């Protein structure tokens, strides 16, 4: 792995960390390629169920490394393929990823956070399309994902103004899922990832993919796709196993096991 990206396993959770704190974890081309490689390996790893993406040194990611761009670095920007200028942003994984955000998640760093399925933010976290002031476009699917997460009108406001969004506002508008105390985002994200690992994986992954895939489909095709993925889950045996466990007393009155029940934030 590139020295600017580290990967470690915590049981069935894979933790991917951008290791450029001296640049507020801004992403240059080698780092973008390393991030793409890390998440490809995670998706192929039979021993990993959920990933967490974070940054070192109290910052999530300050976006693309503009110093590297100013010094002549170029990145492939093509409509096809899995590589985005920030790395994995065009990659559709078969498993969930949770962003653990401390400090800035701005410009392309915000696009990385939007690529993740869930976002946990510390109270001092800051989001924003800060590239607005430098003439840098959103080309890591930010103009697509942000409206789908926060709504069209709010997304346009954030994209046009480039203003900063604090953690509490981000929670209020649905940009993040939870807010933690400073220094606690990674621990909470890992705890949530472990909770997801405790569920039957085929059903969870198929339901997740149906949610992602429906955006590209007509209503009728989305229904057919949901049914197809549901039938795949049933064929896996997870549904029959779960029904038997419920019959034998597990999960009555909506109760989860202690490991699967996420702690309150």
């Amino acid at each position: 792995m590139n020295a600017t990206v580290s990967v470690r396993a915590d049981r069935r959770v894979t933790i991917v960390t951008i290791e450029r704190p001296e640049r507020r974890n801004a992403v240059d081309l080698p780092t973008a390629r390393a991030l793409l490689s890390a998440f490809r390996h995670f998706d192929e790893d039979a021993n990993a169920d959920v990933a967490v993406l974070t940054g070192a040194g109290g910052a999530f990611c300050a976006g693309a490394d503009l110093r590297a761009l100013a010094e002549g670095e170029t990145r492939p920007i093509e409509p096809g393929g899995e590589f985005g200028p920030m790395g994995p942003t065009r990659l559709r994984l078969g498993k969930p990823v949770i962003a653990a955000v401390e400090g800035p998640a701005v410009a392309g760093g915000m696009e990385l956070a939007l690529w993740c399925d869930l976002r946990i933010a510390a109270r001092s976290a800051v989001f924003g399309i800060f590239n607005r002031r430098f003439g840098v476009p959103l080309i890591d699917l930010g103009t697509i994902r942000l409206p789908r997460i926060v709504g069209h009108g709010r997304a346009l406001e954030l994209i046009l103004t480039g203003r900063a969004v604090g953690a509490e506002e981000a929670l209020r508008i649905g940009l993040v899922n939870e807010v933690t105390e400073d220094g606690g985002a990674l621990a909470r994200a890992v705890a949530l990832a472990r909770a997801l690992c405790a569920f039957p994986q085929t059903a969870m992954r198929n339901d997740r993919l149906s949610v992602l895939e429906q955006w590209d489909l007509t209503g009728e095709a989305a229904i057919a796709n949901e049914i197809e993925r549901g039938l795949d889950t049933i064929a896996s045996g997870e549904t029959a196993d779960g029904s038997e466990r419920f019959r034998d007393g597990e999960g009555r009155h909506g109760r989860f096991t202690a490991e699967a029940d996420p702690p309150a934030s």
Side-chain angles (χ1 to χ4, degrees):
M1 189 58 58
N2 185 287
T4 61
V5 173
S6 66
V7 180
R8 67 181 176 92
D10 184 324
R11 291 187 277 182
R12 298 191 68 84
V13 177
T14 297
I15 301 170
V16 179
T17 305
I18 305 172
E19 302 275 3
R20 302 189 81 208
E22 74 285 357
R23 294 288 182 95
R24 304 293 274 167
N25 297 319
V27 172
D28 60 1
L29 181 57
T31 303
R33 287 175 170 158
L35 284 170
L36 178 64
S37 176
F39 282 106
R40 278 176 172 162
H41 281 98
F42 157 69
D43 210 35
E44 296 166 358
D45 186 355
N47 296 312
D49 293 327
V50 183
V52 172
L53 173 60
T54 193
F60 181 75
C61 176
D65 188 338
L66 297 185
R67 292 184 186 178
L69 293 177
E71 292 167 2
E73 180 188 270
T74 59
R75 306 187 194 192
I77 302 174
E78 301 172 354
E82 295 179 334
F83 178 79
M86 293 294 293
T89 49
R90 303 185 194 281
L91 183 63
R92 177 171 289 178
L93 302 180
K95 310 171 191 177
V97 180
I98 302 171
V101 180
E102 302 272 353
V106 298
M110 183 167 169
E111 290 184 285
L112 272 178
L114 294 172
W115 171 73
C116 298
D117 296 273
L118 302 173
R119 285 156 292 282
I120 308 298
R123 294 198 183 279
S124 63
V126 177
F127 299 84
I129 311 299
F130 286 9
N131 45 307
R132 178 58 53 240
R133 66 198 69 177
F134 299 114
V136 178
L138 292 171
I139 46 178
D140 283 273
L141 309 191
T143 64
I144 298 167
R145 293 191 175 110
L146 186 59
R148 293 177 178 182
I149 292 170
V150 304
H152 183 89
R154 182 71 73 185
L156 275 176
E157 184 228 337
L158 298 182
I159 289 169
L160 292 175
T161 67
R163 70 175 178 85
V165 178
E168 293 297 337
E169 181 184 0
L171 179 64
R172 187 172 70 251
I173 67 176
L175 179 56
V176 304
N177 301 92
E178 294 184 31
V179 174
T180 70
E181 296 303 320
D182 289 344
L186 179 58
R188 175 61 188 133
V190 171
L192 181 57
R194 288 175 181 166
L196 299 188
C197 291
F199 292 130
Q201 292 297 298
T202 302
M204 186 180 73
R205 293 176 190 178
N206 274 333
D207 286 350
R208 171 186 172 274
L209 282 173
S210 181
V211 170
L212 296 176
E213 291 163 345
Q214 58 88 21
W215 289 107
D216 303 322
L217 303 173
T218 64
E220 185 175 341
I223 292 170
N225 186 62
E226 181 185 73
I227 291 171
E228 181 179 355
R229 291 218 169 266
L231 290 173
D232 180 74
T233 297
I234 293 169
S236 75
E238 278 190 1
T239 305
D241 177 68
S243 299
E244 291 174 4
R245 288 188 285 112
F246 180 81
R247 179 199 61 196
D248 294 339
E250 182 179 329
R252 294 293 171 83
H253 309 295
R255 182 177 179 80
F256 287 177
T257 63
E259 184 177 5
D261 194 9
S265 61

